[in-house]
């Protein structure tokens, strides 16, 4: 029977996908070493999302309670459950999430990062999820000093995911949490796999010899590719396609067509006002961590200095650069070519591919959308998602 549960709650864009990949690919080794992981217990992110949506509903909480029961019955002394969606929870939702673990020791792990480096990553996630603001506009919408808009999707999704002071306070002060362990994302790569080493120490898995993913996990794309995905997302959204379905279908296309373009595209660059905002967010996080550490509710593992930045404000432009139009067109054409080369058409569907993409950017987006939705991969993904949606 499990004696302890480790909840890895994120935050988003802090190596969460990497840690989940290590946990998942080594689940048998970890279980043999006394640590059972989420994939052997259920689907943590789906179960979490249902509780967040309806925390007072017994039916919505059923998958989460089933996962918790499997954790309790596990022969391993420690169960690790990882989902960045957990960091979105407000106090009444945290109550619902912790309730089925009553009687067990619950340790919570939160990884945090410098926002000067993290803002662009958060915008990329926003863009891939039907976001509606380009990079310069996004920076303005989330920043109170620039007249930010709390009603905007940019504001709501940013603060839900990256309001670290709130996350630290709400989880650290909850009576059902034994300790909130905070890991500043290491900047130095002098030590091999520093994030996993710190996480494994908390999870009690340092004795397990794990294999690490080859290459980078959840690779980011350049500025123009991210903006192109946002523009394409408007077409997906208008057609009524669920964002989860689109993400699943697009993942291999992005890896093949857009990730290699990092060599020719720039990353989104902060302007000076964006630097001020990001440094202010870092300072709020550091204050919350210091207060939590003094109270004994928070344990910080690693260097607090990793929540500061080495980027100099004076080196940044006064206005955040917009994407370059010629690279936007190139990104759209790269996606079109990959979709055309990799597609397997549904029997009886029209072959919409020609020898080359349309001349205009909008036309290329439309053609790429049509190619992807006429592919067998798309139809198979739609069919596989239907039973889950009905549950």
């Amino acid at each position: 029977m499990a004696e302890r549960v480790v909840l890895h709650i994120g935050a988003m864009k802090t190596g969460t996908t990497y840690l989940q990949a290590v946990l998942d690919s080594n689940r048998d080794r970890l279980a043999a070493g006394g640590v059972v992981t989420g994939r052997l217990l259920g689907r943590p992110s789906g179960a979490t999302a249902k509780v967040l949506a309806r925390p007072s509903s017994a039916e919505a909480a059923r998958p989460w309670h089933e996962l918790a029961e499997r954790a309790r019955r596990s022969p391993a002394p420690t169960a690790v459950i990882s989902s960045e969606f957990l960091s979105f929870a407000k106090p009444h939702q945290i109550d619902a999430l912790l309730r089925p673990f009553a009687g067990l020791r619950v340790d919570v792990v939160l990884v945090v990062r410098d926002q000067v480096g993290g803002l662009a990553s958060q915008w990329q996630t926003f863009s891939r999820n039907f976001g509606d603001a380009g990079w310069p506009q996004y920076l303005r919408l989330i920043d109170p000093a620039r007249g930010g808009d709390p009603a905007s999707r940019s504001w709501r999704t940013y603060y839900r995911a990256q309001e670290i002071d709130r996350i630290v306070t709400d989880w650290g002060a909850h009576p059902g949490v034994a300790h909130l362990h905070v890991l500043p994302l290491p900047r130095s790569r002098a030590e091999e796999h520093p994030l996993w080493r710190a996480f494994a120490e908390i999870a009690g898995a340092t004795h397990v010899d794990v294999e690490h993913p080859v290459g980078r996990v959840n690779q980011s794309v350049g500025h123009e590719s991210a903006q192109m995905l946002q523009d394409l997302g408007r077409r997906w959204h208008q057609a009524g396609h669920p964002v989860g379905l689109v993400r699943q279908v697009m993942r291999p296309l992005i890896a093949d067509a857009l990730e290699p373009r990092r060599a020719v595209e720039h990353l989104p660059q902060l302007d000076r006002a964006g630097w001020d905002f990001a440094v202010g967010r870092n300072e709020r996080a550091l204050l919350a961590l210091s207060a939590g550490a003094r109270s004994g509710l928070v344990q910080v593992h690693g260097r607090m200095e990793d929540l500061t930045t080495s980027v100099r404000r004076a080196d940044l432009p006064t206005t955040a650069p917009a994407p370059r139009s010629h690279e936007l067109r190139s990104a759209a054409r790269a996606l079109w070519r990959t979709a055309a080369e990799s597609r397997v058409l549904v029997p009886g569907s029209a072959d919409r591919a020609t020898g080359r993409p349309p001349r205009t950017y909008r036309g290329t987006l439309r053609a790429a959308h049509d190619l992807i939705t006429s592919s067998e991969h798309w139809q198979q993904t739609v069919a596989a998602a239907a039973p889950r949606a009905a549950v």
Side-chain angles (χ1 to χ4, degrees), residues 215-277:
R216 295 188 65 179
V217 179
N218 197 22
Q219 176 77 291
S220 61
V221 297
H223 187 173
E224 288 81 13
S225 288
Q227 182 61 57
M228 185 273 294
L229 289 172
Q230 185 178 129
D231 295 338
L232 182 60
R234 295 190 182 95
R235 185 168 293 277
W236 296 118
H237 184 58
Q238 290 167 2
H241 300 308
V243 66
L245 171 68
V246 172
R247 278 202 309 265
Q248 189 173 348
V249 172
M250 290 295 294
R251 191 173 295 121
L253 294 173
I254 291 171
D256 291 343
L258 302 182
E259 288 177 6
R261 289 185 52 77
R262 280 282 302 272
V264 296
E265 295 183 16
H266 302 306
L267 289 176
Q269 186 179 24
L270 282 176
D271 54 20
R272 294 179 184 180
W275 186 94
D276 293 338
F277 171 78

Side-chain angles (χ1 to χ4, degrees), residues 168 180 286-300 304:
V168 167
L180 173 62
L286 286 166
L287 287 172
L289 294 179
S290 297
R294 286 195 301 270
S295 69
L297 298 175
V298 174
Q299 292 184 9
V300 178
M304 296 276 267

Side-chain angles (χ1 to χ4, degrees), residues 245 248 380-390:
L245 171 68
Q248 189 173 348
Q380 289 173 345
T381 306
V382 169
R388 292 199 298 269

